[in-house]
Amino acid sequence: MSIKPNTPSIDENEDIELLEPETEIVENETAHDVVFWHTKYREHQESGKRYVENIKINKLKLLKVFYLLGYRRIDIDDMPIFVKIENNRVIKRSNINQVIDAFFEFLNEKEFWLDDDNTLSIDKLKEKFLDSPGSYFKEDKLFRLNMFSSEKIEFNRDTLTEKFLYYKNGFVRIDKKGVIFNDYAKLDKFIWESEVLPRNFSFIDYKGCYVSQFIDRVCKSDATDINERIKAIKIIMGYYLHSFTDCELVALTLTDSKISEGNEANGRTGKSLFCKILGYMLSRDPENAAGRTFIDISGKDFDPKEKHKYQEVSHETKIVVINDLRRNFDVDCLYNDVTEGIKVERKNMSPYRVKLKLILTTNKTIRIEGDSSKARFLEFEFSDYFSKSRTPKMEFKHWFFRDWDAEEWARFDNYMISCLSEYFVNDCKLMEPEHINLNARKLRESSSEFFLDFMEDLKIEFGRWYNKKEMFNAFIKRYPDFDNPKFKQATFTNWVKLYTKHTSGFAEFNKERDEKRSDDIIEMMFRRSGENSIENEIM
């Protein structure tokens, strides 16, 4: 059977020509309106029937199809990424493979025959792309997507005075004046798909909701005003739900209140659940790191010197939780991460910086020294109401989140919005929560139980000068195990200073004011809290 060419044959290796270049988008134009291929035919010598000789692809028009399918390139910190616009104002991250999959799904929507005489089939067109996919789906070509429009993609962000929450049926705006629910038609800018919560919003009375009961229990304490602690933690929750970061940032440190014996670590008090509660207001699926808005990092494996420590963080991330920090972790190494944002280094990618909010959790106390550190780390103790013998699952007879119906989710949303409202009403200022046993725990974990017994038995008199060397000798005489080269006078003196800092009723030791030297004798004075000067010296 012989075939005579109807048109000249085409060298398969020649560059594919660009036909009828069109970079303008016609109003109401869809991807199916774009004919991005040109067919060359041959005619059968005997029957006269036409056959497809080759297909040329107009790369410019093909790129236009990707654009009309919703794909765009955006640049974040000079790093280009692929995204897809969903539902007019919702944007999701994408990649080359997803573009290819979407394109073949688009081809499947077309009629099987693409010409009038049933010669060119959709399968032949697919084969054209499968023969050399690299010619059509290379990044350097797809990065030219924005040539079809000068539209700038701007994301809707929280401002200093307002917070936005996004739901399936609309978005909520919260500020000092109140709460407003709007349809997406009133949203002028774009949002990330990961920000859209997978449920509808409705106003409902939240009193008695499970999260409210949980917060009441973790704030419970006979030694403090529970209402003040609840108010403080709700304002803290509002701070973390508010994604505005162009301000002085702090990191919340969650710890336990129970004073343990020796090196016993308590835990199971609800700290991780508290963090997940925040995550379920900021992410579609906080249990999945791919959600990116809320990231949970294991504190036991966290190495501040490891350059890839934040590799799961993206530009959409709002909160990073470093969960269950190891003992004696030095928070000073996180100072710049708290104040300036974290540097994200992923393998084979350029590094970038993200400003977000950090939460640290630990079963032990964390040493926070100096005014700068104190201004950047806020500590909150969880009561010992929950433990391994009384978990939230036992208390509430269900799993949080997984077992909730639509009404409980609505109550949860409204409760969390009330936290935002309290935060804005408080002029976006955090409250210092009342502590339960924090100072006592810090002192115990930084010194020794024997030392605490010694200081209690010393029956200190305010305003009296005490010989530091004599105190040290009295201690090691009482506890001979400390009479060794490793335990020095300096260590003991530091413990005494910590004692004045963390013990109720004592003013923190001040060397210039509370220490004097005479020959080889160094003495120190203990002062009552709030007492600036004492004239009487008891020799």
Side-chain angles (χ1 to χ4, degrees):
M1 181 175 64
S2 62
I3 299 177
K4 68 176 183 179
N6 185 43
T7 55
S9 62
I10 300 173
D11 184 353
E12 292 293 337
N13 295 318
E14 72 176 339
D15 290 337
I16 299 173
E17 63 179 315
L18 296 178
L19 304 177
E20 303 174 22
E22 297 178 10
T23 57
E24 292 186 3
I25 302 298
V26 180
E27 187 177 358
N28 298 323
E29 186 176 19
T30 70
H32 285 291
D33 295 327
V34 181
V35 179
F36 54 87
W37 66 92
H38 180 74
T39 312
K40 299 282 187 178
Y41 296 92
R42 285 188 181 183
E43 187 176 295
H44 192 280
Q45 188 174 14
E46 297 177 358
S47 66
K49 184 177 180 180
R50 292 202 308 169
Y51 294 90
V52 174
E53 179 188 34
N54 200 358
I55 303 170
K56 286 186 177 182
I57 301 299
N58 182 326
K59 292 182 180 179
L60 189 58
K61 289 189 175 183
L62 178 63
L63 202 61
K64 188 175 184 180
V65 169
F66 298 145
Y67 182 89
L68 291 170
L69 287 175
Y71 289 98
R72 302 287 189 276
R73 184 204 79 215
I74 63 174
D75 301 320
I76 302 179
D77 290 344
D78 297 325
M79 181 179 68
I81 63 172
F82 289 121
V83 297
K84 185 178 182 184
I85 299 176
E86 305 270 359
N87 301 325
N88 194 31
R89 287 294 164 187
V90 178
I91 284 183
K92 65 182 293 187
R93 283 178 175 264
S94 191
N95 55 48
I96 293 291
N97 287 328
Q98 290 171 336
V99 173
I100 296 173
D101 290 343
F103 178 70
F104 277 92
E105 289 178 12
F106 158 75
L107 292 181
N108 288 334
E109 296 172 2
K110 289 185 172 295
E111 297 288 339
F112 183 75
W113 295 109
L114 300 175
D115 54 8
D116 294 335
D117 55 1
N118 295 347
T119 303
L120 176 61
S121 70
I122 194 66
D123 286 345
K124 284 187 178 295
L125 192 58
K126 289 179 181 178
E127 287 178 7
K128 179 69 178 179
F129 289 100
L130 291 174
D131 283 343
S132 54
S135 297
Y136 312 107
F137 302 105
K138 292 180 69 174
E139 282 191 351
D140 59 346
K141 292 183 175 66
L142 294 179
F143 279 156
R144 308 280 77 80
L145 279 166
N146 292 9
M147 68 191 301
F148 295 99
S149 174
S150 59
E151 175 189 24
K152 185 178 180 180
I153 294 180
E154 292 186 38
F155 288 94
N156 200 57
R157 303 292 191 191
D158 292 353
T159 69
L160 175 63
T161 59
E162 59 187 350
K163 166 69 185 178
F164 296 91
L165 291 170
Y166 309 101
Y167 294 86
K168 291 168 62 177
N169 60 334
F171 69 98
V172 179
R173 178 181 176 275
I174 306 105
D175 63 12
K176 192 174 184 177
K177 296 179 181 179
V179 182
I180 300 174
F181 177 76
N182 283 310
D183 185 85
Y184 278 115
K186 295 185 178 180
L187 189 65
D188 297 327
K189 298 179 181 179
F190 293 90
I191 59 174
W192 288 106
E193 181 193 45
S194 58
E195 294 180 286
V196 181
L197 300 173
R199 53 189 181 268
N200 291 328
F201 176 79
S202 62
F203 288 104
I204 191 174
D205 185 359
Y206 63 79
K207 291 180 181 178
C209 73
Y210 289 123
V211 169
S212 174
Q213 295 182 52
F214 170 79
I215 293 298
D216 289 351
R217 285 159 173 74
V218 300
C219 290
K220 189 175 183 180
S221 168
D222 294 334
T224 61
D225 185 339
I226 184 173
N227 292 323
E228 286 299 304
R229 279 175 53 80
I230 290 174
K231 182 178 180 180
I233 196 65
K234 287 191 70 177
I235 289 175
I236 290 171
M237 292 165 75
Y239 164 78
Y240 275 96
L241 295 178
H242 187 214
S243 300
F244 184 76
T245 56
D246 191 14
C247 58
E248 292 187 359
L249 299 175
V250 302
L252 175 66
T253 301
L254 298 176
T255 186
D256 301 328
S257 62
K258 184 177 180 180
I259 298 177
S260 57
E261 298 297 328
N263 291 323
E264 178 189 0
N266 295 307
R268 305 295 297 273
T269 55
K271 300 185 296 294
S272 295
L273 179 56
F274 173 84
C275 295
K276 286 184 180 180
I277 287 170
L278 296 173
Y280 272 95
M281 282 299 292
L282 295 174
S283 175
R284 296 176 65 87
D285 183 9
E287 308 283 352
N288 182 1
R292 297 179 182 271
T293 307
F294 174 88
I295 301 295
D296 190 310
I297 299 174
S298 171
K300 293 185 182 298
D301 304 322
F302 184 78
D303 181 359
K305 296 180 181 179
E306 212 285 309
K307 67 178 182 177
H308 299 305
K309 58 185 177 292
Y310 293 125
Q311 63 179 346
E312 293 181 356
V313 173
S314 76
H315 287 89
E316 300 119 277
T317 304
K318 302 294 189 295
I319 295 177
V320 167
V321 178
I322 306 178
N323 213 335
D324 197 12
L325 283 172
R326 61 183 180 273
R327 186 172 184 173
N328 297 323
F329 182 85
D330 183 8
V331 296
D332 286 344
C333 67
L334 298 177
Y335 184 87
N336 286 336
D337 294 351
V338 174
T339 58
E340 305 300 327
I342 63 175
K343 185 179 180 181
V344 181
E345 295 191 53
R346 293 181 179 176
K347 295 179 181 178
N348 305 318
M349 289 182 64
S350 300
Y352 55 91
R353 189 167 292 277
V354 180
K355 233 182 168 184
L356 43 70
K357 296 179 180 179
L358 281 171
I359 298 178
L360 315 176
T361 78
T362 175
N363 294 333
K364 294 292 185 178
T365 61
I366 291 179
R367 186 174 181 179
I368 300 174
E369 301 292 343
D371 292 339
S372 294
S373 292
K374 289 178 182 178
R376 291 293 174 260
F377 296 94
L378 180 66
E379 298 175 280
F380 190 90
E381 295 169 279
F382 273 43
S383 75
D384 59 359
Y385 185 91
F386 292 113
S387 63
K388 63 181 180 181
S389 59
R390 180 164 58 184
T391 66
K393 168 67 165 57
M394 298 173 185
E395 178 79 1
F396 299 111
K397 307 294 190 298
H398 76 281
W399 284 101
F400 270 42
F401 316 118
R402 187 196 70 182
D403 296 339
W404 289 354
D405 58 17
E407 181 177 346
E408 186 59 34
W409 276 111
R411 279 151 43 100
F412 165 68
D413 290 332
N414 282 267
Y415 176 82
M416 299 300 280
I417 287 173
S418 77
C419 296
L420 280 158
S421 295
E422 289 200 35
Y423 174 66
F424 285 125
V425 168
N426 204 49
D427 294 324
C428 300
K429 297 176 182 176
L430 296 173
M431 285 179 58
E432 180 74 27
E434 289 189 43
H435 299 314
I436 303 174
N437 293 315
L438 184 63
N439 290 330
R441 291 182 65 230
K442 284 194 172 190
L443 180 59
R444 182 177 292 267
E445 292 173 14
S446 301
S447 59
S448 160
E449 294 180 25
F450 298 112
F451 169 76
L452 298 180
D453 290 340
F454 173 80
M455 293 299 289
E456 184 176 346
D457 293 343
L458 196 58
K459 301 190 183 304
I460 292 171
E461 298 178 29
F462 293 116
R464 173 183 173 182
W465 289 101
Y466 288 83
N467 186 304
K468 291 167 65 174
K469 184 67 175 177
E470 290 179 358
M471 289 175 63
F472 174 71
N473 290 333
F475 177 73
I476 60 176
K477 181 178 180 180
R478 179 171 173 177
Y479 301 105
D481 287 346
F482 287 90
D483 189 5
N484 63 75
K486 291 184 178 181
F487 186 72
K488 301 181 181 298
Q489 170 79 59
T491 302
F492 177 81
T493 300
N494 187 54
W495 285 3
V496 174
K497 293 176 181 178
L498 288 173
Y499 186 86
T500 66
K501 178 180 179 179
H502 296 304
T503 303
S504 177
F506 282 74
E508 185 173 354
F509 176 81
N510 182 297
K511 184 174 182 178
E512 294 182 0
R513 182 192 65 189
D514 302 328
E515 184 176 288
K516 69 176 184 178
R517 294 171 179 262
S518 177
D519 296 328
D520 293 333
I521 300 173
I522 304 176
E523 295 178 303
M524 64 185 303
M525 179 185 289
F526 298 93
R527 300 181 186 271
R528 196 185 307 276
S529 178
E531 200 172 277
N532 294 321
S533 63
I534 297 179
E535 299 298 334
N536 298 327
E537 296 182 0
I538 303 175
M539 303 303 293

